[in-house]
Amino acid sequence: MGFLFRFGAVLGYLVLMAGCAYGQDSLLDQLEEEASPIEDLTYGTFKGTRLINGQTVETRGAGNLDFIISHRFGRVNSGAYNFFGLDDANTRLGLEYAFTDDLTVGIGRNSFQKVYDGFVKYRLLKQQQGKKQIPVTMTWYSNMSVNTFKRPELPMSFERRLAYANQLLIARKFSEGLSLQLMPSYVHQNLVPTAMDRNDLFALGVGGRLKLTPRTSLNMEYYYRVNPNDDGYYNALAIGFDIETGGHVFQLQLTNAQSMTETGFIPTTTGNFWDGDIHFGFNISRSFQLKDKSKKW
Amino acid sequence: MRVFLIVMLIWTVGLPAEGQSYRTEKCAVKFFSSAPLEDIKADNKEAIGVFNADSGDFAFVVQIKGFQFAKSLMQEHFNENFMESDKYPRGTFEGKIEGYDLSASGEQQVTASGKMKIHGVEQPMNVVGELTASGGKLIMDAVFPIKLEDYEIDIPKILFQKIAEEVEVTVHFEFKED
């Protein structure tokens, strides 16, 4: 019994000593153990708010105004006379304002089909470690487009010119170099070519980026149409290259799509990438901070 | 034996080798860099520090992702391109403070010397600062320059925005007795 007590006491003493020795860590070691960030958000899943044709999960910080100029030239296979497509160009000009860190509202005007579009983009989840563990960033995107192209051969009404696209964008930054994104999409066109055609289209987009250097990346984007109409349209495919230089993001791309809005390139891409119906294009965005978000102390 | 053990226990427990130790209750770290296009500055409140008044040992840890910029894009680039915050989430300092007398009131000039670690790179550092003791509280203030290349923070050539190669860091710690 005495032996047991002694044994227990010695053990207790050793544990205590160990505890004290543990407390003799350097100050920095103690701090390192305590220090954990309040919110360890994943930054820069993608460089831009556009992957190539479509959107990324990224939204800009509150008070940020983005001016985006997108260009799609004609088809590369239209030959030398047409300067390999560079003679034709379509432009989309867009303005996008971030009301909060998670809510962006944008408008744009696309010279292809003379389309005006407006959208709302809202980030639902942010990928993060630390206190909360969330594996993906998720953003809701909803776009409405008005096709103002004159169609005198048809009895056109305003409703007939409308099309809607809704997307759930789900992305994960797997490492510094690799981010992947899934985009389940639903597009509704009020006007389709024939009465046989369906107005509702479902599509699943996949995309990603591979960083080449800290400020450049290679991107890919593909929209698979789940229930396409039998109209000779193709799935939109794009390969892009991003360069980020502080306030600008330059994106160069090759794609079979001509339209620069989801209501256009998802359902009605007419180019066959493998036949050389490829459009060279670029997006350039410039950010302006209209509202100071820093907290004063 | 039993008596011996009890004595040993009391002796061990009564061994607070810690001196008078202080812990931060408020921290503010700022940096400022003057650039032709616009000044770059950020504030950070996510830091903690401890100070042992008997030995002079002093350490602090700053969460790099805690720096708040006026421009969110700048903040993103700071974390992603310059500081690589996912790889190196913290900046730390560990060293000693010398030349203080806690019984004196008012502002005193002190020096902190030790190792600063930023962006995964450790550099020796000597900083002159002020220490003010008042009613069980200590306030430390210091301003010092940091050279980006010392900590292997790259500034790319193609940036439109020229970034100064040296930034001015301001720290303000308010300690209370632990």
Side-chain angles (χ1 to χ4, degrees):
Chain A
M1 191 65 213
F3 162 77
L4 264 182
F5 169 77
R6 212 169 307 167
F7 179 75
V10 170
L11 200 71
Y13 176 70
L14 283 175
V15 167
L16 258 171
M17 280 310 279
C20 285
Y22 177 75
Q24 310 254 313
D25 272 356
S26 78
L27 289 182
L28 189 59
D29 292 341
Q30 290 176 38
L31 281 182
E32 287 270 24
E33 272 164 35
E34 285 173 47
S36 70
I38 294 170
E39 231 184 5
D40 187 1
L41 295 179
T42 301
Y43 275 98
T45 306
F46 295 100
K47 291 286 186 203
T49 56
R50 294 290 188 295
L51 184 51
I52 299 175
N53 290 317
Q55 303 273 341
T56 66
V57 289
E58 295 289 342
T59 56
R60 296 290 186 223
N64 185 96
L65 180 73
D66 256 8
F67 178 46
I68 297 197
I69 306 166
S70 309
H71 243 61
R72 297 292 180 275
F73 292 102
R75 287 178 180 176
V76 174
N77 62 1
S78 60
Y81 175 69
N82 210 9
F83 202 44
F84 305 100
L86 297 196
D87 283 359
D88 313 320
N90 281 298
T91 312
R92 181 182 179 275
L93 301 175
L95 275 179
E96 302 172 8
Y97 184 70
F99 284 93
T100 72
D101 286 359
D102 300 323
L103 175 71
T104 299
V105 174
I107 49 168
R109 204 269 184 188
N110 195 331
S111 65
F112 181 72
Q113 296 280 319
K114 305 195 186 300
V115 169
Y116 290 83
D117 69 278
F119 69 80
V120 176
K121 196 173 175 181
Y122 186 73
R123 193 165 48 176
L124 306 159
L125 292 178
K126 296 176 206 177
Q127 184 182 335
Q128 57 191 270
Q129 301 148 333
K131 273 194 177 171
K132 275 196 288 184
Q133 303 262 339
I134 302 177
V136 294
T137 302
M138 202 191 282
T139 301
W140 175 259
Y141 174 80
S142 187
N143 178 312
M144 181 175 117
S145 305
V146 189
N147 181 327
T148 66
F149 199 78
K150 285 196 170 128
R151 305 279 300 269
E153 76 280 11
L154 287 174
M156 288 301 276
S157 64
F158 182 70
E159 283 75 25
R160 286 191 137 192
R161 301 184 171 279
L162 298 179
Y164 308 87
N166 286 291
Q167 296 185 293
L168 190 59
L169 311 164
I170 306 158
R172 176 167 168 79
K173 187 177 187 176
F174 285 92
S175 68
E176 197 45 51
L178 178 74
S179 303
L180 296 177
Q181 184 173 282
L182 272 181
M183 307 81 99
S185 313
Y186 161 65
V187 180
H188 177 91
Q189 302 173 88
N190 276 0
L191 183 67
V192 284
T194 71
M196 300 293 289
D197 289 321
R198 281 181 305 270
N199 300 75
D200 293 313
L201 175 77
F202 292 92
L204 181 63
V206 289
R209 84 151 185 205
L210 198 59
K211 255 193 187 179
L212 304 172
T213 71
R215 288 178 172 76
T216 58
S217 73
L218 193 64
N219 300 359
M220 210 216 84
E221 183 187 60
Y222 180 72
Y223 276 93
Y224 171 76
R225 293 163 306 142
V226 177
N227 59 336
N229 288 319
D230 197 8
D231 289 327
Y233 292 121
Y234 292 88
N235 292 334
L237 170 68
I239 296 163
F241 178 68
D242 280 15
I243 307 161
E244 174 253 310
T245 63
H248 292 271
V249 182
F250 293 97
Q251 301 181 291
L252 309 172
Q253 60 266 143
L254 292 170
T255 172
N256 60 339
Q258 227 173 335
S259 172
M260 291 163 263
T261 48
E262 289 70 14
T263 51
F265 69 78
I266 296 177
T268 53
T269 286
T270 53
N272 180 343
F273 199 91
W274 313 114
D275 282 352
D277 300 340
I278 297 170
H279 303 268
F280 170 65
F282 54 80
N283 306 332
I284 298 177
S285 74
R286 174 73 181 127
S287 297
F288 302 93
Q289 188 76 29
L290 303 188
K291 224 172 52 193
D292 189 330
K293 70 174 262 297
S294 64
K295 307 168 190 75
K296 291 282 161 279
W297 46 281
Chain B
M1 175 74 195
R2 199 173 299 187
V3 173
F4 164 75
L5 270 171
I6 288 166
V7 169
M8 280 298 274
L9 270 176
I10 289 167
W11 183 67
T12 312
V13 173
L15 243 194
E18 324 279 315
Q20 211 182 354
S21 101
Y22 289 85
R23 178 167 291 269
T24 48
E25 56 175 355
K26 220 174 116 181
C27 282
V29 180
K30 277 200 279 199
F31 78 79
F32 177 86
S33 151
S34 167
L37 208 60
E38 60 186 321
D39 293 339
I40 297 163
K41 54 181 199 277
D43 304 344
N44 193 338
K45 289 199 199 77
E46 288 183 45
I48 47 174
V50 283
F51 171 53
N52 185 321
D54 292 354
S55 62
D57 285 337
F58 168 65
F60 68 80
V61 173
V62 180
Q63 302 288 355
I64 301 297
K65 280 191 181 180
F67 279 103
Q68 298 292 326
F69 290 71
K71 293 189 170 183
S72 48
L73 214 56
M74 215 183 252
Q75 192 165 324
E76 188 172 311
H77 297 154
F78 166 83
N79 281 300
E80 204 190 353
N81 300 338
F82 292 97
M83 302 299 285
E84 302 178 87
S85 306
D86 283 330
K87 237 189 282 183
Y88 313 109
R90 295 169 189 158
T92 60
F93 178 85
E94 185 175 30
K96 267 193 168 10
I97 292 182
E98 279 156 348
Y100 60 89
D101 173 10
L102 288 190
S103 55
S105 64
E107 209 173 85
Q108 327 168 28
Q109 205 173 63
V110 296
T111 53
S113 52
K115 289 185 190 136
M116 180 80 82
K117 195 173 182 182
I118 302 173
H119 191 235
V121 181
E122 207 166 71
Q123 291 284 3
M125 191 94 186
N126 278 306
V127 175
V128 176
E130 276 87 49
L131 188 142
T132 316
S134 66
K137 283 197 179 182
L138 289 179
I139 293 173
M140 286 188 203
D141 281 294
V143 179
F144 53 91
I146 280 195
K147 261 197 149 98
L148 297 190
E149 65 176 335
D150 287 352
Y151 297 95
E152 294 169 25
I153 298 166
D154 293 334
I155 306 171
K157 302 276 179 291
I158 58 163
L159 274 196
F160 286 132
Q161 201 162 22
K162 288 283 163 282
I163 290 172
E165 287 167 18
E166 206 170 73
V167 298
E168 183 185 77
V169 178
T170 308
V171 293
H172 172 86
F173 294 126
E174 295 180 15
F175 290 90
K176 72 171 194 311
E177 237 174 299
D178 208 3

